[in-house]
Amino acid sequence: MKLLSREIFASEIRQYVHHDNYDAQKIAQYAFSCYLDYKITDEKLKEVVYAIMMMDADPCMEMDRIELVNYIENMLCIKLT
């Protein structure tokens, strides 16, 4: 199983958050695929992936584009913009 790093996650998630048609459902599905396909040893990254997955579970968990970008950048200390 491949290891998911912050850099890999950031490069992939950029495609979703900078897309003109921001879709929280698709982003949640991407996070779920990360959860299934990668080993995540970084605890902060694991927390971020899990929180993003939960956007699909309940509308009150959904983040808009700005909230999501800020959350990821603050939790992982990386820049998406």
Side-chain angles (χ1 to χ4, degrees), residues 59-70:
C60 73
M61 301 290 288
E62 197 171 299
M63 293 179 254
D64 66 29
R65 182 193 318 251
I66 294 169
E67 290 172 322
L68 182 63
V69 168
N70 288 337

Side-chain angles (χ1 to χ4, degrees), residues 22 24 50-64 67-68:
Y22 176 83
Y50 187 76
I52 295 171
M53 281 175 25
M54 291 299 100
M55 291 196 315
D56 197 26
D58 189 339
C60 73
M61 301 290 288
E62 197 171 299
M63 293 179 254
D64 66 29
E67 290 172 322
L68 182 63

